[in-house]
Amino acid sequence: MSDHKSLRAIGVSRVYDGKAVVNQASLTLEPGKITALLGQSGAGKSTLLRLFAGLEPVDAGEIRIGDTVLSSVSKHVPAEERAIGLIFQDFALFPHLNAIDNVGFGLSRMQKTARRKLAAEWLDRLGLAHRAKAYPHQLSGGEQQRVSIARALAAQPVAILMDEPFSGLDVTLKSEVREIALDAVKEAGIPALLVSHDAFEAMRDADRIAVMKDGIILQEATPEYLYLKPTSLPAARALGPLTSVARKDMPDTWKAQLPEAETYCLRPEALRLVHEDGVAMTVVSSKRTSTVIELELQLNDATTISAIGIGANRPAPGDTVQVALSPEFAFTLPADSA
């Protein structure tokens, strides 16, 4: 793993029709780490991936692998010469080749016996040894995606870029395929980028997350740090729901647990239901998801606040519940944050 180099974007921009779709973005992809690029549609995520891949030129800044410049205003190494693996949601397998030949397609410089041996090893690593002779139309969506990932990794790329790779899979397939595929990516020890619009997916799967909006990378950090210490409201909202509450509207027992500020942002986990010694609140709505109960509580006449509960009994709208504060899920934002 020590031989692998970081893949970096340094102040890169890409302009279409006078608008910067990627705007002075800097991002370092470290070997052996999965970095998620998180943002809504139109944020510039896929364009930044294409700049890393060499599928498009930069209009400013540089793309580097280690100390080697791949893209600049005056230089552009073509995508096919970058040895960067690409995985998209459409799999892009050759329909006339079986699984083992699809994996071996990018290994044409190897002797045929060695090529098939390596392709077989990667199919086995991704749990598909028994499907080596199956053609794409005979494979499930999850199996096709694993073949495409085996093909990308078998070529021993210097980095791997994944654009919403699991979004085309149904929910039951997605969990199994994702775990097998991302484990293989991490084992390869190369820099990996995972483009996603799903905060839950990004937090679960990535070592680091970069939040992107309007072509700008707002913040980049570990999932935990971003979730609990965002530096702007858009970055905070990208990671999940929150409620802004003025200090003057808070119960005195909560104020005593928090640093002095005019306004706090509370994640739903900041409020927990207790049996006694809490603040009495009325339930506005309650919904059970697969793991928790999502609640809206009436803080005062003007403010409702999100909370979560765990347990067998779901409070009904109109019920009164006792609520305590978990201050570690409350944070303040800089006064100048947008």
Side-chain angles (χ1 to χ4, degrees), residues 163-182:
D163 196 351
E164 306 270 6
F166 310 116
S167 61
L169 305 180
D170 65 52
V171 175
T172 52
L173 271 176
K174 190 180 289 190
S175 177
E176 178 192 357
V177 172
R178 193 196 74 252
E179 191 168 339
I180 293 170
L182 294 181

Side-chain angles (χ1 to χ4, degrees), residues 101-264:
D101 288 338
N102 258 287
V103 175
F105 183 82
L107 308 175
S108 56
R109 294 178 184 174
M110 297 177 68
Q111 195 177 27
K112 185 176 179 180
T113 304
R115 182 166 72 235
R116 289 186 70 82
K117 182 174 183 291
L118 184 59
E121 287 173 2
W122 274 103
L123 280 178
D124 184 49
R125 193 174 297 190
L126 283 148
L128 290 173
H130 63 299
R131 304 293 275 152
K133 294 182 179 179
Y135 287 85
H137 72 275
Q138 298 170 317
L139 299 170
S140 70
E143 288 171 335
Q144 289 182 52
Q145 187 59 296
R146 278 185 280 164
V147 171
S148 72
I149 290 169
R151 182 177 63 188
L153 292 174
Q156 296 184 301
V158 297
I160 195 155
L161 311 176
M162 301 171 280
D163 196 351
E164 306 270 6
F166 310 116
S167 61
L169 305 180
D170 65 52
V171 175
T172 52
L173 271 176
K174 190 180 289 190
S175 177
E176 178 192 357
V177 172
R178 193 196 74 252
E179 191 168 339
I180 293 170
L182 294 181
D183 281 351
V185 168
K186 292 190 81 166
E187 281 175 25
I190 55 178
L193 183 70
L194 174 66
V195 167
S196 178
H197 66 274
D198 185 330
F200 180 84
E201 176 183 83
M203 285 192 284
R204 178 193 54 208
D205 295 337
D207 301 292
R208 299 188 70 82
I209 298 175
V211 177
M212 196 169 191
K213 182 182 181 184
D214 298 330
I216 296 168
I217 293 181
L218 301 177
Q219 189 176 356
E220 189 265 341
T222 63
E224 291 78 11
Y225 193 94
L226 266 175
Y227 192 67
L228 298 174
K229 296 181 180 178
T231 54
S232 68
L233 193 56
R237 292 196 185 284
L239 270 290
L242 54 84
T243 308
S244 293
V245 181
R247 184 178 179 87
K248 64 181 177 59
D249 293 330
M250 283 192 162
D252 290 339
T253 53
W254 294 5
K255 294 177 187 176
Q257 296 176 262
L258 295 167
E260 195 71 40
E262 286 188 15
T263 305
Y264 304 93

Side-chain angles (χ1 to χ4, degrees), residues 243-303:
T243 308
S244 293
V245 181
R247 184 178 179 87
K248 64 181 177 59
D249 293 330
M250 283 192 162
D252 290 339
T253 53
W254 294 5
K255 294 177 187 176
Q257 296 176 262
L258 295 167
E260 195 71 40
E262 286 188 15
T263 305
Y264 304 93
C265 294
L266 305 183
R267 294 291 187 195
E269 301 94 315
L271 304 184
R272 54 192 169 84
L273 304 188
V274 291
H275 294 297
E276 56 188 15
D277 298 329
V279 175
M281 290 190 188
T282 302
V283 177
V284 177
S285 68
S286 67
K287 299 175 183 176
R288 179 178 291 282
T289 69
S290 57
T291 53
V292 298
I293 302 164
E294 296 177 350
L295 301 161
E296 286 293 321
L297 307 175
Q298 197 75 47
L299 179 62
N300 56 38
D301 290 344
T303 306

